Amino acid sequence: MPKDASGHLIPGLRSPIRTVPESVVRPEYVGRRAPAPNAAGDWYTPEEVERIRAAGRIAAGAIEAAAAAIRPGVTTDELDRIAHDYVVAHGAYPSTLGYRGYPKSSCTSVNEVICHGIPDDTVLDDGDLVNLDVTAYLDGYHGDLNHTFLVGHATEEATLLVERTREALARGIRAVAPGRQVNVIGRAIEAYAKRFGYGVVRDYTGHGVGRAFHTGLIIPHYDAPEFDTVMEPGMVFTIEPMLTLGTTDWDLWDDDWTVVTRDRALTAQFEHTLVVTDRGADILTLP
């Protein structure tokens, strides 16, 4: 994703697909066009939750390792290499690699890219935003998270967007409680974002995760009463709000993955995988 004369991103050149040792167990969808349907639900035993936590800890470590390299002049492909090497070195598989044909081990979404940016030869510039999204698969379970980082010296507007998107995630997590419907999560996020005039992306949501990368459970980031699944202890899902400085309308690039704001305004995102507990939520994607 280099940039055009207006400073907006355009597709770049990708490096060859990275290899994973044969000793690392692959998810069932690798080498197939689509994953098998999920029929196991979104509830997990305490032992299964700890397996998700182990996978999530590796994904979080991979993001930390890649984030340490973020600076002007670094390519998104280099960030992907660091994340890939970290996940594989810890005996896990990078879940995005081969998922529905996705060609890389992470998503790197820069500036106006809402989500699913494919790492390539894009060089990060001073003042950019870059979101790193990594999921690790270990011992039969996925752990999924992402964070948005400032590159060099960002504007106050961009800095506040990142800080407030992080806080929006925190407020969504605090809304989690057994007996509540999942729509309370989106209500809390949207109410906060509206205070600053931010757009809240609706078409990309949180999701169930664990045995499957995406289970079918939808976690909205906006006030959506139609999503009325009741949270119960043992449920596992992600919350991952995407906030924009402008419109929430989006365009999809020809790669069928990269989603950008239609007005090319900046966007930021944060994500954690969590389990519903008797008292609220336990985050499973911490280092």
Side-chain angles (χ1 to χ4, degrees):
M1 290 182 287
K3 296 173 182 176
D4 62 18
S6 300
H8 297 141
L9 296 163
I10 58 176
L13 298 175
R14 302 179 204 161
S15 62
I17 293 176
R18 305 189 196 282
T19 60
V20 178
E22 290 300 323
S23 59
V24 174
V25 177
R26 276 85 167 141
E28 53 81 23
Y29 52 75
V30 174
R32 302 174 54 214
R33 294 185 63 181
N38 173 61
D42 295 286
W43 290 264
Y44 296 84
T45 67
E47 293 77 16
E48 290 174 318
V49 168
E50 291 310 308
R51 292 185 182 185
I52 298 171
R53 193 192 307 274
R57 187 175 292 120
I58 292 172
I63 285 184
E64 282 195 339
I70 292 176
R71 62 183 60 88
V74 171
T75 66
T76 55
D77 187 68
E78 174 63 8
L79 301 181
D80 182 73
R81 182 197 64 78
I82 295 169
H84 174 94
D85 289 350
Y86 186 99
V87 171
V88 170
H90 286 77
Y93 186 90
S95 301
T96 58
L97 186 60
Y99 179 76
R100 297 184 182 273
Y102 189 82
K104 290 295 181 179
S105 299
S106 64
C107 297
T108 53
S109 300
V110 179
N111 293 344
E112 67 263 29
V113 179
I114 295 172
C115 58
H116 305 157
I118 301 176
D120 58 19
D121 65 347
T122 296
V123 175
L124 297 177
D125 292 330
D126 191 59
D128 281 345
L129 305 184
V130 58
N131 178 274
L132 301 182
D133 192 336
V134 177
T135 306
Y137 177 78
L138 180 72
D139 199 20
Y141 296 85
H142 301 268
D144 183 10
L145 80 158
N146 73 60
H147 292 278
T148 299
F149 299 92
L150 303 168
V151 181
H153 302 88
T155 65
E156 181 180 12
E157 183 178 51
T159 301
L160 288 173
L161 174 66
V162 171
E163 292 176 354
R164 290 165 176 169
T165 306
R166 183 188 294 111
E167 175 61 20
L169 171 61
R171 291 183 180 228
I173 292 173
R174 289 199 295 270
V176 172
R180 291 180 172 177
Q181 296 179 350
V182 296
N183 55 51
V184 303
I185 298 169
R187 192 173 306 136
I189 290 169
E190 186 173 47
Y192 177 72
K194 279 186 172 181
R195 289 168 50 184
F196 311 103
Y198 295 152
V200 181
V201 174
R202 292 176 170 239
D203 295 325
Y204 294 88
T205 67
H207 56 88
V209 65
R211 304 176 194 94
F213 193 174
H214 297 81
T215 68
L217 174 65
I218 294 175
I219 306 298
H221 302 127
Y222 59 98
D223 190 358
E226 65 271 24
F227 294 102
D228 57 2
T229 301
V230 175
M231 292 180 273
E232 299 177 13
M235 284 180 65
V236 174
F237 50 80
T238 72
I239 302 175
E240 46 188 297
M242 291 148 268
L243 305 187
T244 72
L245 289 180
T247 183
T248 59
D249 294 335
W250 50 269
D251 295 319
L252 180 67
W253 283 5
D254 290 343
D255 60 22
D256 286 331
W257 285 104
T258 307
V259 181
V260 298
T261 53
R262 185 158 296 166
D263 58 6
R264 303 303 187 262
L266 288 179
T267 178
Q269 180 184 19
F270 283 85
E271 172 188 23
H272 274 304
T273 296
L274 56 90
V275 60
V276 181
T277 69
D278 290 333
R279 303 180 64 181
D282 180 12
I283 299 173
L284 303 178
T285 40
L286 298 173

